[in-house]
Amino acid sequence: MSHRRHRAAAALGALALALATVVVSAGPVASMPAASATDPGVPPWRWKTEHSQKWVGPGETVAIQTYCRAGYLPLTGGWRGEYVVDHVYTDPVFRAYHSLELVESFSDFTDRYYKVEVRNTGDVHARISTTAECVHPDEVSGFVTAGSWFKRDKAGRAGGTVTCPAGFGVIGAGHEWSAAARHRRIDVSAPLPVGDGWYASGYSDQRRDRLWIEVECLPDAQLGGEQYAFVEKKTGGPRDFLGPVVCPAGTRILTVGVSARRAGKAWNPAVYAGRIAVIDEESAGGPTKLKATIDQLPQRAEVVVRAAALCIPVAQPRLLFDPSPPTGTTTSRDVSYTFYAQDSAGEDLVLRCWLNGFRQPASWCTSGESHTLTGLLDGTYTLRVDAENTSGQVASQSYTWTVAGAAGRATAG
């Protein structure tokens, strides 16, 4: 929800790895051919992810602002709650905590932060982790907003649907209450299945309170084929589990939500008057999965709950070896390689290198530098490099070769 209004694995491999060393030479020997700004049909968005954490005590309300780096805007965000259930030595063991109510959430484009306000309705301290998904403003040109106030009814509920202008698709939504209240929350909030608007509703004990719902929209042509993915089920009662929703390969979650309908009735989120814990947006598999937990369902009511995601195409990382490790058999105990990692949209990359299944230090795994493995013993070796971008897309490349007849030959013990 978003935006504020206004503003080496076998014994031989292990032995060889213990004896081998790596030499890093600064400076590339070649360069990866320049990529276009984006892959065909993919929005050229350089996603940057920022994180924040705060603790909230029983009965307390906490507001968390997660700031984007300079020059970036918070397009959307997510949050989750956890509590400590045990310790392993001195390290805490966390478990998902669902006795939380979302009060409001939005992105502030003026001050570049994503805000979540959460109330702890349980009896233990909880850690709230938030995520801001940020993009460069040049990559979301044509951005427009639409919003509306919804009055609180006699039962204390307020909510409704806000849609984007024709030819625009929704990229997120935000909600704020107009008045301070002892008890207010957002119960359900989700994108519409056609991807052109948003429904949200909540409860406030302030008689004159109103709920502001705002959608943020981009021209359809800029969304590169936005897709709607969902999972739904008839609930089995409080603490029932729903999910995960998984975006198709080559896409990531743009924004997410959860809504409900009465069993046997047409899909109409407005008829639901219970409460559903907000989707665990950030923790369930990163930017490609999400989960939801149902909480405090009305008694004697059969409710179908839907967790939904809008999925957007994303750029893919690329890997190039030049020179690459050998293939086949070699008598050399020294093997040199250089790899280049690049994301076609300019997203940050996390690089991981593996030799015979063992994760290698960062000094062995730098893009654009010449690396030399020295002192290899006779045996078979597999080098694999993974490059993962901020959107969770991974490029992987591996080479396997055999050292045979090398000087200083060793055998497995």
Side-chain angles (χ1 to χ4, degrees):
M1 281 57 74
S2 339
H3 310 297
R4 188 177 188 174
R5 59 191 177 89
H6 313 314
R7 311 251 176 230
L12 175 60
L15 174 63
L17 289 172
L19 299 178
T21 60
V22 63
V23 178
V24 180
S25 301
V29 258
S31 60
M32 175 177 277
S36 59
T38 182
D39 295 335
V42 175
W45 296 354
R46 293 165 287 176
W47 292 92
K48 309 292 183 184
T49 302
E50 310 294 346
H51 302 275
S52 296
Q53 287 183 344
K54 275 189 178 181
W55 286 85
V56 56
E60 295 179 349
T61 299
V62 64
I64 308 174
Q65 298 170 346
T66 306
Y67 287 84
C68 294
R69 64 191 70 182
Y72 280 76
L73 298 177
L75 193 63
T76 186
W79 67 280
R80 59 172 169 158
E82 299 173 306
Y83 72 108
V84 178
V85 295
D86 201 354
H87 285 80
V88 177
Y89 299 104
T90 59
D91 296 327
V93 177
F94 287 92
R95 181 177 296 166
Y97 183 66
H98 301 298
S99 296
L100 299 167
E101 291 180 345
L102 175 66
V103 177
E104 57 186 26
S105 65
F106 55 79
S107 293
D108 190 314
F109 277 7
T110 302
D111 295 323
R112 306 192 323 274
Y113 63 77
Y114 176 75
K115 177 185 175 182
V116 171
E117 187 173 334
V118 177
R119 179 172 178 262
N120 184 352
T121 63
D123 55 4
V124 300
H125 283 74
R127 185 179 69 178
I128 310 300
S129 301
T130 64
T131 299
E133 300 290 351
C134 311
V135 297
H136 196 278
D138 291 345
E139 299 166 350
V140 288
S141 59
F143 172 86
V144 299
T145 64
S148 181
W149 286 106
F150 295 89
K151 293 182 179 180
R152 173 187 179 275
D153 63 20
K154 293 182 179 180
R157 300 188 58 79
T161 298
V162 179
T163 57
C164 295
F168 283 73
V170 67
I171 59 175
H175 10 65
E176 292 182 274
W177 292 99
S178 64
R182 294 187 303 274
H183 190 189
R184 55 183 182 164
R185 64 179 188 253
I186 301 298
D187 292 329
V188 296
S189 179
L192 301 180
V194 292
D196 66 346
W198 203 274
Y199 173 84
S201 68
Y203 170 84
S204 171
D205 63 5
Q206 171 60 253
R207 292 178 61 184
R208 298 182 181 274
D209 213 349
R210 297 183 299 165
L211 179 63
W212 173 262
I213 302 173
E214 182 178 279
V215 292
E216 291 71 45
C217 316
L218 277 179
D220 291 334
Q222 289 202 32
L223 294 176
E226 188 180 61
Q227 301 180 56
Y228 181 82
F230 71 92
V231 60
E232 65 181 32
K233 65 179 290 188
K234 184 183 296 185
T235 63
R239 298 297 187 267
D240 197 3
F241 173 75
L242 175 67
V245 177
V246 182
C247 283
T251 67
R252 62 162 287 156
I253 289 176
L254 173 64
T255 191
V256 302
V258 61
S259 57
R261 64 176 169 85
R262 300 289 187 186
K265 302 292 185 180
W267 188 263
N268 179 5
V271 304
Y272 180 66
R275 179 165 68 91
I276 305 172
V278 171
I279 283 177
D280 188 2
E281 301 172 27
E282 186 271 336
S283 66
T288 58
K289 295 181 181 179
L290 62 93
K291 297 179 181 179
T293 301
I294 297 91
D295 194 13
Q296 294 190 1
L297 293 172
Q299 293 183 356
R300 300 182 303 277
E302 289 188 314
V303 176
V304 176
V305 177
R306 173 180 291 187
L310 293 179
C311 307
I312 191 169
V314 289
Q316 304 295 314
R318 301 194 308 159
L319 281 171
L320 172 70
F321 276 80
D322 187 11
S324 65
T327 57
T329 302
T330 179
T331 59
S332 175
R333 297 182 62 195
D334 302 335
V335 169
S336 298
Y337 63 92
T338 303
F339 72 87
Y340 302 87
Q342 183 185 74
D343 185 80
S344 58
E347 291 190 21
D348 294 336
L349 292 175
V350 175
L351 303 176
R352 303 180 184 91
C353 295
W354 313 80
L355 186 61
N356 282 11
F358 289 87
R359 176 81 177 269
Q360 301 305 302
S363 59
W364 293 41
C365 199
T366 50
S367 174
E369 293 185 340
S370 178
H371 302 267
T372 301
L373 298 169
T374 64
L376 296 176
L377 303 180
D378 282 10
T380 298
Y381 298 86
T382 297
L383 173 71
R384 191 183 88 234
V385 176
D386 299 331
E388 181 177 2
N389 66 12
T390 306
S391 294
Q393 307 300 302
V394 180
S396 183
Q397 196 163 344
S398 63
Y399 290 86
T400 298
W401 70 95
T402 299
V403 177
R409 174 172 179 164
T411 58

